[in-house]
């Protein structure tokens, strides 16, 4: 398992002013000492135009840390967190104020992500139906309404940190629901697609006609 991790540090850096040249040299030397001499398996990445600070890549090829004088951050294997924390606490140059972890990521392919999300199809059908429920037949939603469900079904992968597989599966499921007449699809006067779920009366009629399908999807 990997997590987005932030180590909040004190190194004499003042926001808006930065480091003096001497302070910057001392900080970079300490970061180099920690990641190149003390910790094992880290290598300095080649700087890009957008990266003003040093960034280190772990030997797994997946964990990396961007070393800003206020925050050392990145997505790393959770087994590394305590090791790095300990070395920052032992530093005489850098003071570790705190650290936090955020989003989780797995070392799996996008194909595996899609397969795992798809296993929750029946749950997704219910969620989409509820999300596109309206009080009247005249009330419709744009497809962007699906975004309300993305966090629930998102699986982060360290191989593709910006993947949006859950959106693809959600759209595919929405289209399936249109095909089986659980979702009504119309267009506005600009030709943009609109969607709504069946109301109670419509769903009752649909259920009578589709008993086997109703059982299959667990609606």
């Amino acid at each position: 398992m990997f997590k987005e991790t932030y180590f909040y540090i004190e190194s004499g850096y003042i926001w808006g002013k930065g480091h003096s040249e001497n302070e910057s040299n001392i900080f970079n030397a300490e970061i180099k000492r920690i990641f190149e001499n003390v910790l094992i398996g880290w290598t300095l990445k080649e700087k890009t135009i957008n990266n003003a600070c040093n960034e280190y890549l772990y030997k797994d090829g997946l964990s990396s840390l961007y070393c800003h004088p206020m925050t050392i951050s990145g997505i790393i294997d959770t087994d590394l967190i305590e090791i790095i924390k300990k070395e920052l606490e032992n530093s005489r140059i850098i003071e570790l104020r705190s650290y936090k972890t955020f989003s989780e990521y797995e070392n799996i392919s996008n194909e595996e992500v899609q397969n795992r999300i798809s296993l929750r199809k029946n749950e997704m059908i219910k969620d989409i139906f509820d999300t596109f429920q309206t009080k009247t037949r005249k009330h419709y939603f744009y497809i962007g309404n699906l975004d309300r469900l993305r966090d629930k079904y998102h699986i982060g992968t360290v191989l593709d940190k910006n993947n949006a597989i859950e959106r693809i599966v959600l759209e595919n499921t929405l289209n399936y629901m249109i095909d089986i007449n659980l979702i009504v699809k119309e267009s506005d006067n600009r030709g943009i697609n609109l969607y709504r779920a069946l109301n109670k009366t419509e769903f009752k009629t649909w259920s009578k006609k589709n008993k086997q399908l109703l059982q299959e999807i667990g609606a």
Side-chain angles (χ1 to χ4, degrees):
M1 180 65 69
F2 295 76
K3 284 190 176 183
E4 185 178 4
T5 306
Y6 283 72
F7 297 95
Y8 300 100
I9 61 174
E10 175 60 54
S11 66
Y13 186 94
I14 300 174
W15 184 257
K17 293 184 179 181
H19 269 156
S20 67
E21 183 177 350
N22 183 54
E23 288 173 327
S24 181
N25 290 337
I26 292 172
F27 172 75
N28 287 328
E30 180 64 358
I31 290 295
K32 181 177 180 179
R33 183 190 71 80
I34 292 172
F35 284 94
E36 296 183 29
N37 298 337
V38 178
L39 296 174
I40 299 172
W42 293 87
T43 56
L44 180 64
K45 290 179 68 175
E46 185 176 345
K47 283 189 177 181
T48 65
I49 295 174
N50 296 325
N51 285 2
C53 301
N54 289 330
E55 185 174 4
Y56 283 86
L57 179 69
Y58 191 57
K59 62 184 178 182
D60 62 8
L62 301 172
S63 303
S64 64
L65 285 171
Y66 184 74
C67 301
H68 186 274
M70 294 180 74
T71 311
I72 297 174
S73 61
I75 297 171
I76 58 175
D77 190 316
T78 52
D79 290 341
L80 298 170
I81 294 175
E82 285 300 320
I83 298 170
I84 295 166
K85 175 177 173 286
K86 180 181 177 181
E87 292 308 325
L88 290 175
E89 288 174 336
N90 289 338
S91 173
R92 295 182 179 181
I93 305 298
I94 296 170
E95 178 188 350
L96 177 64
R97 293 165 49 219
S98 63
Y99 81 96
K100 288 184 179 180
T101 60
F102 297 93
S103 303
E104 290 187 350
Y105 297 84
E106 298 183 50
N107 184 13
I108 56 176
S109 67
N110 284 346
E111 183 180 6
E112 177 62 19
V113 170
Q114 186 160 349
N115 289 339
R116 282 173 52 179
I117 297 173
S118 297
L119 290 174
R120 301 171 68 187
K121 183 177 180 179
N122 287 355
E123 180 185 357
M124 190 176 286
I125 287 172
K126 184 181 184 306
D127 284 340
I128 292 174
F129 190 86
D130 291 344
T131 301
F132 283 85
Q133 196 82 62
T134 64
K135 292 182 179 180
T136 70
R137 293 185 180 185
K138 294 182 180 180
H139 188 183
Y140 284 79
F141 295 99
Y142 291 110
I143 197 168
N145 205 40
L146 281 178
D147 289 339
R148 294 168 60 184
L149 299 172
R150 289 187 64 178
D151 284 348
K152 179 175 180 179
Y153 292 98
H154 179 73
I155 299 175
T157 166
V158 73
L159 299 174
D160 184 4
K161 299 179 181 68
N162 299 314
N163 87 75
I165 305 300
E166 75 286 346
R167 178 60 190 259
I168 295 171
V169 181
L170 281 164
E171 286 190 21
N172 288 343
T173 306
L174 176 67
N175 289 329
Y176 168 73
M177 294 173 72
I178 293 168
D179 290 340
I180 63 173
N181 300 312
L182 269 177
I183 295 288
V184 180
K185 178 183 175 182
E186 296 289 349
S187 298
D188 65 12
N189 54 15
R190 297 169 294 171
I192 298 175
N193 292 332
L194 299 167
Y195 309 85
R196 71 168 176 84
L198 300 182
N199 61 31
K200 289 183 179 179
T201 303
E202 291 170 327
F203 182 70
K204 188 175 181 180
T205 302
W206 181 91
S207 299
K208 289 179 179 179
K209 293 180 179 179
N210 299 275
K211 290 181 179 179
Q212 184 176 345
L213 185 56
L214 183 69
Q215 200 170 23
E216 289 175 4
I217 64 176

